[in-house]
Amino acid sequence: GRTPGTAMEIATKKATKFVDDLNDSVSEYKVLKAAHEKTGIKPAILLLGTAFFFSLLSLLIFGQEAFTESICFFPPAFMTLTQMSTGVEKKFWMTYWLIFNAINVFETMTSYETELPMYYWLKMLFLIWCYHHTKGALIIYNYLLSNLIGDAKVDIIEEKEPLLDDASETKVKGGQVVEEEKPVSAPEAKKTTEDENEI
């Protein structure tokens, strides 16, 4: 089994990777960039610290329900907005928001959340699992929703956009989808030249 030291190292590496990935996503936002220049703190750390502060404030002032809603809404909403321009992970985020809203709608129709002990903590842990790097939302999509709608399963490691056609590739540059032609091999280029000469 894993020793405590090894488990701590793995957890530290995962946390560092999460912060680095988030930092790459948010570093170009003007507000966070200006705050980083003034404080010298990474934009990702500033964002997480601000989110934690307001979440803790909502817990102290408004209670556990507001705290859970803050944790499960604001970070995923921000991450969704940062990836809207690229069109990547569409099914992942659509599935997450479907799960999030389905739970909230079900809560308005019943009163079970007041009867179950620690309900809001369990809800928060479940939704964090859904939108975290574990991509729990895609697991639910693959094993439940894809079977219901007859759609193909999505690779949990990386959800990629399909190629436009056989002769081109789709790449995202600056939030724009760009079509790039594949290089033509020497025999194909020679054949094309001969056809043009015959015409």
Side-chain angles (χ1 to χ4, degrees):
R2 294 176 180 174
T3 62
T6 304
M8 183 62 70
E9 289 177 3
I10 294 173
T12 303
K13 287 180 180 179
K14 287 184 177 180
T16 303
K17 185 179 185 304
F18 173 76
V19 171
D20 290 340
D21 291 343
L22 181 60
N23 196 66
D24 292 339
S25 301
V26 303
S27 58
E28 295 303 319
Y29 284 84
K30 293 181 179 179
V31 175
L32 293 174
K33 193 173 183 180
H36 167 64
E37 292 174 353
K38 290 182 179 180
T39 62
I41 302 173
K42 287 183 177 182
I45 300 297
L46 291 170
L47 179 64
L48 292 172
T50 303
F52 177 78
F53 172 77
F54 282 106
S55 297
L56 185 60
L57 192 64
S58 68
L59 175 63
L60 296 174
I61 297 175
F62 301 107
Q64 188 178 345
E65 181 179 358
F67 175 73
T68 297
E69 294 299 320
S70 299
I71 292 294
C72 298
F73 176 78
F74 290 108
F78 184 83
M79 288 186 279
T80 301
L81 290 173
T82 59
Q83 297 192 18
M84 281 179 64
S85 60
T86 64
V88 177
E89 295 187 327
K90 291 184 295 184
K91 290 181 179 178
F92 170 62
W93 288 115
M94 288 174 65
T95 303
Y96 174 78
W97 291 115
L98 179 63
I99 295 168
F100 178 85
N101 286 293
I103 292 174
N104 287 341
V105 168
F106 194 67
E107 285 175 358
T108 61
M109 299 170 62
T110 63
S111 59
Y112 70 92
E113 70 274 11
T114 61
E115 300 173 0
L116 293 176
M118 300 182 65
Y119 166 75
Y120 287 107
W121 294 110
L122 295 173
K123 173 185 175 181
M124 181 176 67
L125 291 175
F126 170 70
L127 288 174
I128 289 175
W129 173 77
C130 284
Y131 75 75
H132 192 253
H133 281 198
T134 51
K135 295 188 182 296
L138 275 187
I139 295 175
I140 294 174
Y141 177 87
N142 283 340
Y143 290 97
L144 179 62
L145 297 181
S146 64
N147 294 326
L148 292 175
I149 64 177
D151 194 13
K153 292 184 178 181
V154 180
D155 185 3
I156 295 177
I157 302 300
E158 182 178 5
E159 181 184 351
K160 296 181 179 180
E161 292 294 297
L163 298 180
L164 293 178
D165 51 48
D166 293 338
S168 63
E169 292 181 340
T170 302
K171 290 188 177 181
V172 178
K173 293 182 179 179
Q176 299 284 329
V177 178
V178 181
E179 179 180 354
E180 293 189 356
E181 293 186 358
K182 291 182 179 179
V184 180
S185 60
E188 291 178 352
K190 183 177 180 182
K191 184 178 179 181
T192 303
T193 305
E194 290 176 353
D195 292 341
E196 290 175 353
N197 291 334
E198 289 178 1
I199 294 174

